[in-house]
Amino acid sequence: MPRRTAPPASAAAPESHPTLVLLALAMGGFAIGTTEFAAMSLLPDFAPDLRIDEPTAGHVISAYALGVVVGAPVIAVLAARIARRTLLVCLMVLFALGNGLSALAPNYGTMLIVRFLAGLPHGAYFGVAALVAASLVPRERRSQAVSRVIAGLTVATVVGVPLANAIGQLAGWRWSFGLVALLALLTAILVRLFAPLGAPAPGASALRELGALRRGQVWLTLATGAIGFGGLFSVYTYLASTMLTVTHASPAAIPGMLAVFGLGLTAGNLACAWAADRALMPAAGLTLVWSAAALALYPFAVGSLWTLAPVVFLIGCGGGLATILQTRLMDVAEDAQTLAAALNHSAFNLANALGPWLAGLAIAHGLGLPATGFVGVALALGGLAIWAVSLVADRADPRPCEQPG
């Protein structure tokens, strides 16, 4: 199978300005990260306004995640013949619409529907954006290019999420979703101006994209993310509630703690991308071990902000797994790149649904909010077990996995 080569200058944007392209793509990640994580932190705010309790409000988070799970493969398959830039612009317009309607939702039922709508473009956007980013650099720097796109999401957890949370507390949670809608429209403009057209590959079709589903390593990679990443979400979803009811912190401390998590996520994204470009599978395994250890510390750290902050930072570092698995899918998907790349974010949003659901069960059965950390440990170790199966399968079939040119 031919090795991947960097595209000719004419295939990128005019004069191919990789920095501008990556900044435009990262802006979309910033918008997506802001709404995905801010919605979790705003549970205590929009639950009473929609006349529901917090566990029920958690279904709003799951509705968004379900939208990602459904939208990523469907859009990737149906849009196989659409130029990547055109697809990215359309996805951001749809994302803006979903978040704008979220800001206007009058009741719980409507909120579930519009959050599902907002989630539809999420996975396809990140998947296609990752492929565009990887096409701009040599093969040995793919993970770092992908990490620049995902950095938009991680920076959102440092800046966008605390800002949205603060806006929610000061002006109402609806303004937070309105802010995301504006960011999405800005992204659509920037992508249209700077991103390469990215014409479909010769022979691109829905059938060829569906070929990714026949490959066992694709499924193992997706399962590693769907299970292993759930631990992070099991803690993060209930972090604000834990701070208020267990740590007895002021609501004003929540944005700062969310920023600490975001700093960890940003650091982990950069470090894991560097490691993945050197030893991809070992980097994935070590990241899952790191996550399990950090999550194990969480129940013992919730008594004080001084102990909670460093543990939340360490948990955030485990988010670098996203970049590693995105690159892994480029290796194992062969000629079904778009669907596999998009499915990565379906897997992570299965984790986004699974982690909070299992943590909610633990809370509902009287184990308390700190027990979300132990739920996270179990999920991280489950992901590690699947990673081990994938590693064994790799060694049984040592042929190098290379992305097609």
Side-chain angles (χ1 to χ4, degrees), residues 212-254:
L213 303 182
R214 297 195 301 267
R215 301 179 182 109
Q217 284 289 10
V218 169
W219 285 108
L220 286 170
T221 304
L222 294 173
T224 300
I227 303 301
F229 215 68
L232 182 149
F233 288 113
S234 69
V235 165
Y236 188 89
T237 301
Y238 296 97
L239 178 59
S241 298
T242 302
M243 291 177 64
L244 294 174
T245 61
V246 179
T247 314
H248 301 296
S250 164
I254 294 175

Side-chain angles (χ1 to χ4, degrees), residues 139-155:
R139 179 182 174 84
E140 63 273 12
R141 292 173 52 202
R142 289 176 306 156
S143 295
Q144 293 175 76
V146 171
S147 76
R148 300 300 187 269
V149 177
I150 296 178
L153 185 150
T154 66
V155 171

Side-chain angles (χ1 to χ4, degrees), residues 158-221:
V158 180
V159 179
V161 175
L163 176 61
N165 185 271
I167 290 174
Q169 293 186 35
L170 294 174
W173 59 270
R174 296 180 186 276
W175 287 96
S176 299
F177 290 108
L179 169 65
V180 172
L182 292 176
L183 290 172
L185 291 176
L186 176 60
T187 299
I189 294 171
L190 292 175
V191 169
R192 178 61 184 81
L193 289 175
F194 300 121
L197 179 61
S205 68
L207 187 61
R208 191 171 82 173
E209 289 297 331
L210 288 170
L213 303 182
R214 297 195 301 267
R215 301 179 182 109
Q217 284 289 10
V218 169
W219 285 108
L220 286 170
T221 304

Side-chain angles (χ1 to χ4, degrees), residues 239 242-243 246-247 257 294-315 370 373-374:
L239 178 59
T242 302
M243 291 177 64
V246 179
T247 314
M257 191 63 71
L295 289 161
L297 295 174
Y298 180 79
F300 306 102
V302 296
S304 164
L305 290 177
W306 294 106
T307 53
L308 183 61
V311 172
V312 166
F313 176 86
L314 295 176
I315 292 173
F374 293 130

Side-chain angles (χ1 to χ4, degrees), residues 279-303:
L280 184 62
M281 285 297 281
L286 288 173
T287 302
L288 286 163
V289 171
W290 175 289
S291 292
L295 289 161
L297 295 174
Y298 180 79
F300 306 102
V302 296

Side-chain angles (χ1 to χ4, degrees), residues 99-128:
N99 281 280
L101 292 175
S102 298
L104 303 174
N107 53 53
Y108 171 62
T110 303
M111 189 66 163
L112 282 178
I113 294 171
V114 296
R115 290 316 291 160
F116 176 82
L117 174 65
L120 290 175
H122 174 135
Y125 176 85
F126 268 120
V128 175

Side-chain angles (χ1 to χ4, degrees), residues 1-5 84 127 130-135 137-139 142 146 326-338 341 400-405:
M1 189 177 298
R3 293 184 64 88
R4 178 175 180 81
T5 57
R84 287 173 177 172
L131 294 176
V132 172
S135 74
V137 299
R139 179 182 174 84
R142 289 176 306 156
V146 171
Q326 190 78 67
T327 305
R328 170 69 172 169
L329 283 168
M330 292 180 187
D331 287 341
V332 299
E334 298 180 15
D335 58 355
Q337 294 290 305
T338 303
C401 296
E402 295 179 353
Q403 190 178 14

